[in-house]
Amino acid sequence: MIPHPRALLLVLALFMTAAGCGLAAPGGSDEEPKVTILGPWTDDQEQRFKDVLDGFGIPYTYQGTAATREVLLAEVQAGDPPDIAILPGVGELVEYADEGRLRSLKGLYDPEEYGNPWRPGAQGVKGDLWVPLKADLKSIVWYRDGDAPEPRPAPLASWCVGMGDDGASGWPGSDWIEDLILQRAGPVLYARWATGDLEWTDDRVVAAWTTWAGMLAQDPDRAGAMLPADHRGTAGGHGLLFGGGCDLEHQGSFARAFYGDHKDRAAFADSAPLLPGGPYTVKAHEVSADFAALFGRSGPAREMIRRLASRDAQEEWGRTGGVFSANAAVPPRTGTVDRQVSRRFTDQRVPLCLDASDVMPAAVRDAFYEAVLLTMAHPAEPVRSRLADIQKVQDAQARDTRRLTGVCGRPQ
């Protein structure tokens, strides 16, 4: 069974579900059945996604929320899941698949267009049960164009950091830990850790975590101020990078959406040389994706998935919405930064590794985020006991819980 998140998150999810946040029903009359879609995009990103959906001519209802995991759990438990759910990771999807809730996508997209590590087969899961609709590159650091950093570790005072998020505070810190483990120890050990085959108290995990805590301990007051800060910056602003007071931001390719009309002034570099304890060489690139899965059985829902995963729709969304596709058949986007991101997605020399927290069981992921927040609040304290607590949560998972295997892989 899907583990229950904390009560507070479930209450939030139920509230958001009842409120019907982000609902839209273009096309057709009220009597026509509509494909129900739950997704992570809100505000401007939601509108751009709806623009793509509107072009299909299929009546739909879209619910956008940052708490997709919690809202989906509430709707599944209420016996009324959406036809299509789009989640930022495959950890929950594996569990829903084991419960027999997901419908096959066979014939709705070409798996050969989605290489490693994107498709279920590459992740060690039989069947075509989900498909990535939007991909993001991590293992990068943003800076203001013309102000490129020196290729060496930067002090805490240089970094833009915020742990706040509507759905899961703490995940920006998990990205730091994941990238440190990846660039220090390489993709093989990273994959073992992400899939539960390497204990959290392993010396190499402890060392990476301690290195990050050491950077935070350079200025505990500043680290404490970063704890409640929204990772997107102030509402209506230009993100953390252009909000003043910092020069570097360890954030995925989606960060440009936060920079508003300053986004063309943003450039990025590989994170490996800049991470604490380095400089390191680039051993792999961490990536993430938003995966669509089918809970409903209707023909329109299946057609919606087919259209969303198609090359034409992926190319259109990239052009109008500024997003990246995991579909290898989609031509690279134009623009200097876009081409740089695309090259890293397709670089055969460097493996791509899925975001570790996204492939972990929900309970383990939540414990991971909690330990990140505690470390930021008390960076001088030893980290091993916190990692031991995460290991206890991982050990408590059912022995028959399926584990992913293909977390890392070279792109096709």
Side-chain angles (χ1 to χ4, degrees):
M1 295 293 292
I2 299 291
H4 291 265
R6 293 175 178 79
L8 179 61
L9 292 177
L10 184 55
V11 170
L12 172 65
L14 291 169
F15 171 78
M16 298 178 76
T17 304
C21 56
L23 295 180
S29 68
D30 291 340
E31 287 73 28
E32 289 182 286
K34 299 178 177 66
V35 177
T36 54
I37 306 170
L38 174 69
W41 305 300
T42 59
D43 302 324
D44 183 62
Q45 287 183 314
E46 174 178 334
Q47 186 54 57
R48 293 180 185 275
F49 180 57
K50 289 178 183 176
D51 290 342
V52 176
L53 296 175
D54 291 346
F56 300 156
I58 303 173
Y60 70 90
T61 297
Y62 176 74
Q63 182 179 1
T65 172
T68 49
R69 297 177 175 107
E70 293 74 34
V71 172
L72 178 60
L73 175 62
E75 293 180 348
V76 168
Q77 290 180 335
D80 188 26
D83 293 311
I84 297 170
I86 305 169
L87 297 179
V90 296
E92 283 86 4
L93 292 178
V94 168
E95 298 175 35
Y96 285 123
D98 285 345
E99 292 183 352
R101 298 185 184 274
L102 302 186
R103 312 304 170 197
S104 173
L105 305 185
K106 186 175 182 179
L108 301 184
Y109 75 101
D110 183 356
E112 295 303 315
E113 293 180 351
Y114 293 86
N116 300 327
W118 305 109
R119 65 180 188 269
Q123 299 154 11
V125 177
K126 293 183 179 179
D128 298 320
L129 296 176
W130 50 79
V131 60
L133 299 184
K134 173 181 175 290
D136 280 294
L137 175 69
K138 297 191 172 182
S139 299
I140 58 175
V141 171
W142 292 96
Y143 61 90
R144 291 181 289 276
D145 194 18
D147 193 18
E150 294 292 328
R152 59 174 180 264
L156 180 64
S158 297
W159 291 102
C160 314
V161 180
M163 291 294 114
D165 181 79
D166 296 335
S169 294
W171 70 259
S174 74
D175 282 357
W176 279 86
I177 301 297
E178 290 159 1
D179 208 6
L180 274 165
I181 293 175
L182 185 58
Q183 307 308 337
R184 287 168 62 101
V188 174
L189 184 136
Y190 173 92
R192 289 182 57 204
W193 165 67
T195 56
D197 190 43
L198 184 74
E199 293 198 350
W200 288 81
T201 52
D202 182 273
D203 287 344
R204 291 159 291 189
V205 178
V206 173
W209 200 296
T210 301
T211 299
W212 182 62
M215 183 186 74
L216 299 175
Q218 293 171 7
D219 189 343
D221 291 339
R222 184 179 178 88
M226 294 170 169
L227 191 56
D230 194 307
H231 75 280
R232 296 159 295 195
T234 58
H238 298 95
L240 295 175
L241 182 62
F242 294 95
C246 55
D247 301 311
L248 304 172
E249 184 169 16
H250 183 270
Q251 192 73 274
S253 54
F254 50 79
R256 276 201 305 170
F258 309 148
Y259 300 153
D261 54 12
H262 290 339
K263 65 180 181 181
D264 291 335
R265 296 175 51 206
F268 75 87
D270 289 319
S271 60
L274 304 171
L275 295 173
Y280 311 104
T281 59
V282 178
K283 294 184 174 64
H285 286 127
E286 184 179 0
V287 294
S288 63
D290 295 301
F291 294 87
L294 188 63
F295 284 76
R297 299 177 181 273
S298 73
R302 291 179 59 81
E303 177 63 12
M304 184 72 83
I305 287 281
R306 188 186 70 79
R307 298 290 294 274
L308 283 169
S310 69
R311 168 180 168 168
D312 289 345
Q314 292 279 295
E315 188 174 356
E316 172 68 14
W317 193 16
R319 183 171 59 252
T320 61
V323 302
F324 295 93
S325 175
N327 188 326
V330 175
R333 286 169 43 198
T334 59
T336 301
V337 171
D338 295 331
R339 289 196 301 270
Q340 291 173 342
V341 171
S342 297
R343 281 200 295 269
R344 285 163 174 78
F345 275 134
T346 58
D347 188 350
Q348 294 282 340
R349 299 168 299 175
V350 181
L352 301 179
C353 294
L354 294 176
D355 182 298
S357 63
D358 285 346
V359 304
M360 294 174 180
V364 178
R365 182 201 64 235
D366 290 345
F368 187 3
Y369 293 168
E370 182 176 349
V372 162
L373 298 176
L374 289 171
T375 300
M376 288 207 72
H378 308 285
E381 294 182 358
V383 302
R384 188 177 291 272
S385 61
R386 293 195 184 112
L387 302 186
D389 289 340
I390 305 175
Q391 186 62 42
K392 291 177 183 177
V393 175
Q394 182 166 288
D395 291 342
Q397 300 301 294
R399 292 184 180 275
D400 59 352
T401 298
R402 185 173 6 174
R403 293 181 177 181
L404 297 175
T405 55
V407 172
C408 297
R410 295 187 185 274
Q412 291 182 332

